[in-house]
Amino acid sequence: MAKFCTKCGKPLVEGQTCNCGNPETPVVETLNFEQPSMKDFQQANNMNQNMMNQPQGGMAQPSKANNLFNECLAIVTGFLKKPVTTIQENANENKFTHALVIAGVFAASVMAFVLVVLGDIYGALEKTMSMGGLVEVPKLEVPYIKVGLITFIAVAGALALMALLAWLIMNKLFKVNTTYKKVLGIYAISSIIAAVASLAAIICKFIDYRLAFVVLALGFALNTHYVSATMRFAGQADENKLGYVVVIAQYVAIFVVTFLIYKIFGEDFATAMGSMSSLGL
């Protein structure tokens, strides 16, 4: 460090005193500050950028759930405009989570239709038992939770089972190099049209139940059509063989799910039918 006189500022060597009129003037030390380097400027700039990127005013950044919702919504709208292209672009391993979400929406829409029909059936039975309101009868409790849960599981399970059977037939029997996630993606995205038809059928039933079931049948027929038309995207195979894959997988899955539902609800169904017979219904 350099030394200077406190009165005149004259530079002094070690131990020297200034003779500017005060030989006892003490010598003070001054600091030699270093000039900031380019690295220091870069570090400060990075700190400023990090502070600017942080959420301000308590506003959080978009979450993964929001991104997933927006991407699934984009798939749905894309399917309604260009179904085959949308399936081709989104039925892959990277969009497996999206396929599961769409499959869940499909199961929920079918469940909603079943519960609406169930409510109407119980209402009609109650009205018939009371002879149009002339006889007081106990109010029938509609098992919405039980039927809704079973319906959701059955529909989602049937979709997953169809995809599994199709993948096994393609991969093991026809030696097609594909993955289960791709096949499930095709089935899930194709089910969008069936989900729309289920919701449309709920509206149509207020007009005529026959119209509602026609709309529902049309939606499921288009669902099968889109699966058959896009199964080739799962792997290279003869299109004639792929047609058999879809038919076999679909009917085996429907048979298995129907059998399981009968085993679960068989006694309840028989009891209900017996009660209706005893009432002359």
Side-chain angles (χ1 to χ4, degrees), residues 8-55:
C8 64
K10 177 181 177 181
L12 304 171
V13 298
E14 186 70 24
Q16 181 184 4
T17 58
C18 184
N19 56 0
C20 63
N22 185 11
E24 300 299 328
T25 301
V27 177
V28 296
E29 297 181 353
T30 61
L31 298 177
N32 183 19
F33 293 98
E34 295 182 358
Q35 189 174 7
S37 64
M38 184 59 68
K39 183 178 181 181
D40 297 328
F41 282 115
Q42 291 176 348
Q43 290 178 347
N45 184 51
N46 292 336
M47 292 178 62
N48 291 333
Q49 291 292 335
N50 291 335
M51 292 178 64
M52 292 177 63
N53 291 334
Q54 291 180 357

Side-chain angles (χ1 to χ4, degrees), residues 25-96:
T25 301
V27 177
V28 296
E29 297 181 353
T30 61
L31 298 177
N32 183 19
F33 293 98
E34 295 182 358
Q35 189 174 7
S37 64
M38 184 59 68
K39 183 178 181 181
D40 297 328
F41 282 115
Q42 291 176 348
Q43 290 178 347
N45 184 51
N46 292 336
M47 292 178 62
N48 291 333
Q49 291 292 335
N50 291 335
M51 292 178 64
M52 292 177 63
N53 291 334
Q54 291 180 357
Q56 297 181 1
M59 297 178 63
Q61 296 292 323
S63 64
K64 291 183 178 180
N66 288 336
N67 292 334
L68 179 62
F69 173 80
N70 292 331
E71 291 171 1
C72 288
L73 185 61
I75 292 175
V76 172
T77 55
F79 176 85
L80 296 177
K81 297 176 182 178
K82 298 179 179 180
V84 176
T85 302
T86 302
I87 294 173
Q88 182 181 10
E89 294 176 350
N90 296 281
N92 53 59
E93 290 84 353
N94 297 330
K95 297 292 182 68
F96 182 66

Side-chain angles (χ1 to χ4, degrees), residues 14-279:
E14 186 70 24
Q16 181 184 4
T17 58
C18 184
N19 56 0
C20 63
N22 185 11
E24 300 299 328
T25 301
V27 177
V28 296
E29 297 181 353
T30 61
L31 298 177
N32 183 19
F33 293 98
E34 295 182 358
Q35 189 174 7
S37 64
M38 184 59 68
K39 183 178 181 181
D40 297 328
F41 282 115
Q42 291 176 348
Q43 290 178 347
N45 184 51
N46 292 336
M47 292 178 62
N48 291 333
Q49 291 292 335
N50 291 335
M51 292 178 64
M52 292 177 63
N53 291 334
Q54 291 180 357
Q56 297 181 1
M59 297 178 63
Q61 296 292 323
S63 64
K64 291 183 178 180
N66 288 336
N67 292 334
L68 179 62
F69 173 80
N70 292 331
E71 291 171 1
C72 288
L73 185 61
I75 292 175
V76 172
T77 55
F79 176 85
L80 296 177
K81 297 176 182 178
K82 298 179 179 180
V84 176
T85 302
T86 302
I87 294 173
Q88 182 181 10
E89 294 176 350
N90 296 281
N92 53 59
E93 290 84 353
N94 297 330
K95 297 292 182 68
F96 182 66
T97 304
H98 303 70
L100 293 178
V101 172
I102 294 172
V105 172
F106 165 59
S109 63
V110 176
M111 178 189 71
F113 177 78
V114 170
L115 293 180
V116 168
V117 174
L118 182 69
D120 289 346
I121 291 175
Y122 270 71
L125 285 174
E126 189 174 317
K127 186 176 180 179
T128 302
M129 292 169 62
S130 64
M131 298 180 181
L134 298 176
V135 179
E136 185 176 353
V137 296
K139 185 174 179 60
L140 297 176
E141 294 294 334
V142 185
Y144 284 117
I145 296 178
K146 181 180 180 181
V147 174
L149 183 60
I150 294 298
T151 302
F152 183 89
I153 295 174
V155 174
L159 189 70
L161 182 58
M162 281 188 286
L164 178 61
L165 291 172
W167 173 72
L168 288 174
I169 295 171
M170 293 173 64
N171 191 260
K172 304 301 181 183
L173 185 60
F174 297 148
K175 306 300 180 183
V176 178
N177 185 20
T178 186
T179 64
Y180 175 70
K181 291 182 178 180
K182 278 187 179 181
V183 178
L184 181 63
I186 292 173
Y187 273 93
I189 299 175
S190 298
S191 71
I192 292 174
I193 190 64
V196 173
S198 299
L199 298 177
I202 295 176
I203 299 174
C204 291
K205 74 98 180 177
F206 292 102
I207 302 173
D208 193 320
Y209 252 115
R210 289 171 295 184
L211 176 61
F213 281 106
V214 168
V215 170
L216 190 68
L218 180 62
F220 277 84
L222 287 173
N223 180 13
T224 304
H225 166 72
Y226 286 130
V227 171
S228 301
T230 58
M231 189 59 71
R232 66 182 185 274
F233 299 139
Q236 298 296 325
D238 185 354
E239 292 188 3
N240 295 313
K241 293 181 179 179
L242 293 179
Y244 286 112
V245 169
V246 174
V247 172
I248 294 173
Q250 181 166 327
Y251 284 101
V252 170
I254 291 175
F255 173 79
V256 171
V257 172
T258 304
F259 178 77
L260 292 176
I261 291 177
Y262 176 77
K263 282 295 185 182
I264 295 172
F265 291 107
E267 293 183 2
D268 294 339
F269 181 75
T271 302
M273 293 300 294
S275 300
M276 292 174 64
S277 298
S278 64
L279 294 171

